[in-house]
Amino acid sequence: MSNTVRRKIAHTSIGSLVTLASFSALSFGAQAEDAWQFSATPYLFAPSIKGDASAGRFVNDTSIDVDSGDIFDHLDLGAMVHLETHHQSGWGAIVDYAFMDLYSKTQSPLNPDHQVKADVFQGTLEAFAAYRTTITPTDMIDTYAGIRWWDIDADLELRNGTTNPTVSSGDDWVDPVIGARWTKQWSPDWKTSLDGNVGGFGIVSDFTAALQAVVSYDISDGISLAAGYKALWVDYDNDKSGADHFAYDTVTHGPQIGVTFRF
């Protein structure tokens, strides 16, 4: 069984567990005291991915350039969900999980007559401890810290018209992350939020960061519609040589929409 297949199975299982956890939280939340608030947001993300990847001895700084149209045309698997819980004391937790499998085609950096096909499997799992501070009746700030787990698998095929060699490589790693989110309630039904975080710090990745802006509208006491834009950066190199070398320097960005269930 290939690494790509194993990763797909693993992430499908994780997606099922996260979905099960959201429904379990729904059942628990219906019986929970008012001290706790829970929310679950399944969402769709239409990102573009741009950057470079290196794998093994012979594939270095190969361009990855996938737009949202490519992702939806060639998406084999995908799952995205955001979970939050907050206590009246201010403490809480945030979990976000997403993965997708896609590919792109670009010219070889070594020979313009050759083409490189990049089949990229990208999964991220974020888990944060959070603390909520109410600034005014309509403004609050959530500060948080935790981890972002990356799981990347890249199959890079050099199409030269004859042998078409393929290099399969990938890695998974965990970055420390700190961040903050500001939420503004503009009216009883409308609110916006701005979220930013940074991590890596050279401990694992050289750098990782995310920025997100969201507008949401309450269609009922327990359901909201949300739309926004998210950008996610990572600059990672496993510092290995030869066939074990893997590097991934990309930005994943695009619009997203979702439905939030509060209980």
Side-chain angles (χ1 to χ4, degrees):
M1 185 181 295
S2 68
N3 287 337
T4 301
V5 173
R6 282 195 293 267
R7 276 183 162 86
K8 289 181 181 180
I9 293 173
H11 280 268
T12 301
S13 300
I14 293 171
S16 299
L17 289 173
V18 172
T19 302
L20 178 62
S22 66
F23 282 109
S24 298
L26 176 60
S27 300
F28 176 77
Q31 305 173 12
E33 298 179 359
D34 292 339
W36 284 99
Q37 294 180 338
F38 300 86
S39 66
T41 307
Y43 64 94
L44 294 176
F45 187 29
S48 299
I49 301 178
K50 297 184 184 295
D52 300 297
S54 299
R57 296 184 179 91
F58 306 112
V59 180
N60 294 304
D61 296 327
T62 296
S63 175
I64 296 176
D65 188 354
V66 188
D67 64 28
S68 58
D70 292 328
I71 289 176
F72 283 109
D73 286 342
H74 307 300
L75 183 67
D76 292 329
L77 286 172
M80 299 155 193
V81 65
H82 183 90
L83 306 175
E84 293 195 26
T85 180
H86 296 276
H87 189 262
Q88 64 181 9
S89 65
W91 291 100
I94 301 171
V95 175
D96 191 281
Y97 173 72
F99 79 90
M100 54 192 168
D101 182 24
L102 49 102
Y103 73 85
S104 70
K105 297 176 183 179
T106 59
Q107 287 183 327
S108 168
L110 302 178
N111 188 335
D113 295 329
H114 295 169
Q115 190 179 66
V116 176
K117 174 187 172 184
D119 187 349
V120 180
F121 185 87
Q122 176 173 302
T124 57
L125 174 65
E126 299 173 336
F128 304 130
Y131 186 78
R132 174 164 292 176
T133 302
T134 300
I135 307 301
T136 71
T138 59
D139 294 81
M140 61 185 178
I141 293 179
D142 295 303
T143 53
Y144 55 87
I147 58 97
R148 177 179 293 129
W149 170 55
W150 294 85
D151 191 15
I152 308 296
D153 186 76
D155 295 332
L156 305 176
E157 179 183 352
L158 177 61
R159 296 190 166 187
N160 54 25
T162 55
T163 58
N164 297 337
T166 300
V167 175
S168 296
S169 185
D171 209 344
D172 67 284
W173 65 95
V174 177
D175 287 320
V177 172
I178 58 174
R181 178 180 60 192
W182 169 60
T183 302
K184 174 72 172 182
Q185 189 83 40
W186 296 99
S187 73
D189 298 327
W190 289 94
K191 66 181 178 181
T192 58
S193 65
L194 296 175
D195 190 342
N197 61 61
V198 65
F201 310 115
I203 299 172
V204 185
S205 293
D206 290 332
F207 175 77
T208 184
L211 291 174
Q212 184 177 27
V214 174
V215 177
S216 63
Y217 174 74
D218 295 341
I219 61 175
S220 70
D221 289 341
I223 301 176
S224 299
L225 300 178
Y229 200 93
K230 182 177 182 178
L232 179 61
W233 291 266
V234 65
D235 183 2
Y236 171 78
D237 193 316
N238 65 6
D239 295 324
K240 296 180 180 179
S241 60
D244 295 328
H245 180 233
F246 179 76
Y248 194 66
D249 183 2
T250 64
V251 54
T252 303
H253 65 96
Q256 59 184 23
I257 57 173
V259 180
T260 299
F261 300 93
R262 296 183 303 276
F263 31 88

PDB file of all heavy atoms in Angstrom, residues 195-214:
ATOM      1  N   ASP A 195      -8.928  37.022  12.238  1.00  0.00           N
ATOM      2  CA  ASP A 195      -8.163  36.004  12.949  1.00  0.00           C
ATOM      3  C   ASP A 195      -6.770  35.914  12.335  1.00  0.00           C
ATOM      4  O   ASP A 195      -6.631  35.854  11.107  1.00  0.00           O
ATOM      5  CB  ASP A 195      -8.887  34.656  12.811  1.00  0.00           C
ATOM      6  CG  ASP A 195      -8.317  33.579  13.717  1.00  0.00           C
ATOM      7  OD1 ASP A 195      -7.186  33.732  14.195  1.00  0.00           O
ATOM      8  OD2 ASP A 195      -9.012  32.572  13.929  1.00  0.00           O
ATOM      9  N   GLY A 196      -5.750  35.898  13.175  1.00  0.00           N
ATOM     10  CA  GLY A 196      -4.385  35.745  12.685  1.00  0.00           C
ATOM     11  C   GLY A 196      -3.536  34.951  13.651  1.00  0.00           C
ATOM     12  O   GLY A 196      -3.699  35.050  14.868  1.00  0.00           O
ATOM     13  N   ASN A 197      -2.657  34.121  13.107  1.00  0.00           N
ATOM     14  CA  ASN A 197      -1.740  33.367  13.957  1.00  0.00           C
ATOM     15  C   ASN A 197      -0.414  33.159  13.260  1.00  0.00           C
ATOM     16  O   ASN A 197      -0.297  33.313  12.032  1.00  0.00           O
ATOM     17  CB  ASN A 197      -2.353  32.031  14.403  1.00  0.00           C
ATOM     18  CG  ASN A 197      -2.693  31.111  13.248  1.00  0.00           C
ATOM     19  OD1 ASN A 197      -1.829  30.706  12.483  1.00  0.00           O
ATOM     20  ND2 ASN A 197      -3.975  30.771  13.121  1.00  0.00           N
ATOM     21  N   VAL A 198       0.591  32.808  14.038  1.00  0.00           N
ATOM     22  CA  VAL A 198       1.936  32.579  13.518  1.00  0.00           C
ATOM     23  C   VAL A 198       2.558  31.431  14.296  1.00  0.00           C
ATOM     24  O   VAL A 198       2.213  31.197  15.467  1.00  0.00           O
ATOM     25  CB  VAL A 198       2.789  33.866  13.623  1.00  0.00           C
ATOM     26  CG1 VAL A 198       3.012  34.266  15.081  1.00  0.00           C
ATOM     27  CG2 VAL A 198       4.116  33.716  12.897  1.00  0.00           C
ATOM     28  N   GLY A 199       3.463  30.695  13.652  1.00  0.00           N
ATOM     29  CA  GLY A 199       4.062  29.551  14.337  1.00  0.00           C
ATOM     30  C   GLY A 199       5.294  29.050  13.620  1.00  0.00           C
ATOM     31  O   GLY A 199       5.835  29.690  12.719  1.00  0.00           O
ATOM     32  N   GLY A 200       5.686  27.844  14.010  1.00  0.00           N
ATOM     33  CA  GLY A 200       6.900  27.258  13.461  1.00  0.00           C
ATOM     34  C   GLY A 200       8.119  27.687  14.239  1.00  0.00           C
ATOM     35  O   GLY A 200       8.751  26.893  14.941  1.00  0.00           O
ATOM     36  N   PHE A 201       8.479  28.979  14.078  1.00  0.00           N
ATOM     37  CA  PHE A 201       9.581  29.602  14.819  1.00  0.00           C
ATOM     38  C   PHE A 201      10.910  28.873  14.637  1.00  0.00           C
ATOM     39  O   PHE A 201      11.798  28.962  15.486  1.00  0.00           O
ATOM     40  CB  PHE A 201       9.250  29.696  16.318  1.00  0.00           C
ATOM     41  CG  PHE A 201       7.914  30.292  16.617  1.00  0.00           C
ATOM     42  CD1 PHE A 201       6.918  29.530  17.212  1.00  0.00           C
ATOM     43  CD2 PHE A 201       7.619  31.611  16.282  1.00  0.00           C
ATOM     44  CE1 PHE A 201       5.668  30.060  17.500  1.00  0.00           C
ATOM     45  CE2 PHE A 201       6.372  32.159  16.563  1.00  0.00           C
ATOM     46  CZ  PHE A 201       5.398  31.376  17.166  1.00  0.00           C
ATOM     47  N   GLY A 202      11.047  28.113  13.534  1.00  0.00           N
ATOM     48  CA  GLY A 202      12.281  27.380  13.308  1.00  0.00           C
ATOM     49  C   GLY A 202      12.411  26.117  14.127  1.00  0.00           C
ATOM     50  O   GLY A 202      13.421  25.411  14.021  1.00  0.00           O
ATOM     51  N   ILE A 203      11.405  25.815  14.957  1.00  0.00           N
ATOM     52  CA  ILE A 203      11.454  24.602  15.773  1.00  0.00           C
ATOM     53  C   ILE A 203      11.238  23.375  14.893  1.00  0.00           C
ATOM     54  O   ILE A 203      11.944  22.376  14.993  1.00  0.00           O
ATOM     55  CB  ILE A 203      10.414  24.668  16.898  1.00  0.00           C
ATOM     56  CG1 ILE A 203      10.697  25.860  17.807  1.00  0.00           C
ATOM     57  CG2 ILE A 203      10.382  23.369  17.700  1.00  0.00           C
ATOM     58  CD1 ILE A 203       9.619  26.121  18.842  1.00  0.00           C
ATOM     59  N   VAL A 204      10.227  23.448  14.019  1.00  0.00           N
ATOM     60  CA  VAL A 204       9.992  22.407  13.017  1.00  0.00           C
ATOM     61  C   VAL A 204       9.960  23.095  11.650  1.00  0.00           C
ATOM     62  O   VAL A 204      10.927  23.062  10.918  1.00  0.00           O
ATOM     63  CB  VAL A 204       8.700  21.632  13.296  1.00  0.00           C
ATOM     64  CG1 VAL A 204       8.551  20.474  12.306  1.00  0.00           C
ATOM     65  CG2 VAL A 204       8.688  21.082  14.715  1.00  0.00           C
ATOM     66  N   SER A 205       8.843  23.735  11.316  1.00  0.00           N
ATOM     67  CA  SER A 205       8.831  24.595  10.130  1.00  0.00           C
ATOM     68  C   SER A 205       9.655  25.849  10.413  1.00  0.00           C
ATOM     69  O   SER A 205       9.750  26.305  11.560  1.00  0.00           O
ATOM     70  CB  SER A 205       7.401  25.021   9.785  1.00  0.00           C
ATOM     71  OG  SER A 205       6.625  23.938   9.355  1.00  0.00           O
ATOM     72  N   ASP A 206      10.224  26.408   9.336  1.00  0.00           N
ATOM     73  CA  ASP A 206      10.856  27.711   9.508  1.00  0.00           C
ATOM     74  C   ASP A 206       9.800  28.761   9.817  1.00  0.00           C
ATOM     75  O   ASP A 206      10.044  29.693  10.590  1.00  0.00           O
ATOM     76  CB  ASP A 206      11.622  28.095   8.236  1.00  0.00           C
ATOM     77  CG  ASP A 206      12.856  27.239   8.028  1.00  0.00           C
ATOM     78  OD1 ASP A 206      13.411  26.755   9.033  1.00  0.00           O
ATOM     79  OD2 ASP A 206      13.251  27.049   6.868  1.00  0.00           O
ATOM     80  N   PHE A 207       8.611  28.577   9.208  1.00  0.00           N
ATOM     81  CA  PHE A 207       7.565  29.589   9.386  1.00  0.00           C
ATOM     82  C   PHE A 207       6.230  28.976   9.001  1.00  0.00           C
ATOM     83  O   PHE A 207       6.119  28.208   8.044  1.00  0.00           O
ATOM     84  CB  PHE A 207       7.859  30.798   8.499  1.00  0.00           C
ATOM     85  CG  PHE A 207       6.787  31.848   8.498  1.00  0.00           C
ATOM     86  CD1 PHE A 207       6.659  32.729   9.565  1.00  0.00           C
ATOM     87  CD2 PHE A 207       5.903  31.963   7.427  1.00  0.00           C
ATOM     88  CE1 PHE A 207       5.663  33.710   9.557  1.00  0.00           C
ATOM     89  CE2 PHE A 207       4.919  32.932   7.416  1.00  0.00           C
ATOM     90  CZ  PHE A 207       4.804  33.804   8.481  1.00  0.00           C
ATOM     91  N   THR A 208       5.188  29.308   9.742  1.00  0.00           N
ATOM     92  CA  THR A 208       3.814  29.043   9.339  1.00  0.00           C
ATOM     93  C   THR A 208       2.934  30.156   9.891  1.00  0.00           C
ATOM     94  O   THR A 208       3.220  30.709  10.961  1.00  0.00           O
ATOM     95  CB  THR A 208       3.326  27.661   9.819  1.00  0.00           C
ATOM     96  OG1 THR A 208       2.004  27.427   9.312  1.00  0.00           O
ATOM     97  CG2 THR A 208       3.275  27.575  11.336  1.00  0.00           C
ATOM     98  N   ALA A 209       1.884  30.495   9.157  1.00  0.00           N
ATOM     99  CA  ALA A 209       0.995  31.576   9.582  1.00  0.00           C
ATOM    100  C   ALA A 209      -0.347  31.411   8.892  1.00  0.00           C
ATOM    101  O   ALA A 209      -0.468  30.716   7.878  1.00  0.00           O
ATOM    102  CB  ALA A 209       1.589  32.944   9.249  1.00  0.00           C
ATOM    103  N   ALA A 210      -1.366  32.058   9.454  1.00  0.00           N
ATOM    104  CA  ALA A 210      -2.694  32.052   8.853  1.00  0.00           C
ATOM    105  C   ALA A 210      -3.379  33.375   9.129  1.00  0.00           C
ATOM    106  O   ALA A 210      -3.219  33.962  10.206  1.00  0.00           O
ATOM    107  CB  ALA A 210      -3.536  30.900   9.398  1.00  0.00           C
ATOM    108  N   LEU A 211      -4.137  33.847   8.155  1.00  0.00           N
ATOM    109  CA  LEU A 211      -4.992  35.025   8.288  1.00  0.00           C
ATOM    110  C   LEU A 211      -6.379  34.667   7.778  1.00  0.00           C
ATOM    111  O   LEU A 211      -6.513  33.970   6.764  1.00  0.00           O
ATOM    112  CB  LEU A 211      -4.440  36.209   7.499  1.00  0.00           C
ATOM    113  CG  LEU A 211      -3.156  36.855   8.005  1.00  0.00           C
ATOM    114  CD1 LEU A 211      -2.682  37.921   7.012  1.00  0.00           C
ATOM    115  CD2 LEU A 211      -3.351  37.463   9.387  1.00  0.00           C
ATOM    116  N   GLN A 212      -7.403  35.162   8.477  1.00  0.00           N
ATOM    117  CA  GLN A 212      -8.767  34.832   8.091  1.00  0.00           C
ATOM    118  C   GLN A 212      -9.705  35.979   8.455  1.00  0.00           C
ATOM    119  O   GLN A 212      -9.614  36.545   9.540  1.00  0.00           O
ATOM    120  CB  GLN A 212      -9.214  33.548   8.790  1.00  0.00           C
ATOM    121  CG  GLN A 212     -10.584  33.047   8.386  1.00  0.00           C
ATOM    122  CD  GLN A 212     -10.923  31.729   9.062  1.00  0.00           C
ATOM    123  OE1 GLN A 212     -10.432  31.423  10.147  1.00  0.00           O
ATOM    124  NE2 GLN A 212     -11.765  30.932   8.436  1.00  0.00           N
ATOM    125  N   ALA A 213     -10.613  36.312   7.531  1.00  0.00           N
ATOM    126  CA  ALA A 213     -11.663  37.295   7.775  1.00  0.00           C
ATOM    127  C   ALA A 213     -13.004  36.641   7.464  1.00  0.00           C
ATOM    128  O   ALA A 213     -13.153  36.003   6.414  1.00  0.00           O
ATOM    129  CB  ALA A 213     -11.470  38.532   6.908  1.00  0.00           C
ATOM    130  N   VAL A 214     -13.979  36.784   8.369  1.00  0.00           N
ATOM    131  CA  VAL A 214     -15.263  36.095   8.230  1.00  0.00           C
ATOM    132  C   VAL A 214     -16.399  37.064   8.555  1.00  0.00           C
ATOM    133  O   VAL A 214     -16.316  37.840   9.510  1.00  0.00           O
ATOM    134  CB  VAL A 214     -15.340  34.862   9.163  1.00  0.00           C
ATOM    135  CG1 VAL A 214     -16.730  34.236   9.109  1.00  0.00           C
ATOM    136  CG2 VAL A 214     -14.288  33.842   8.779  1.00  0.00           C
TER     137      VAL A 214
END
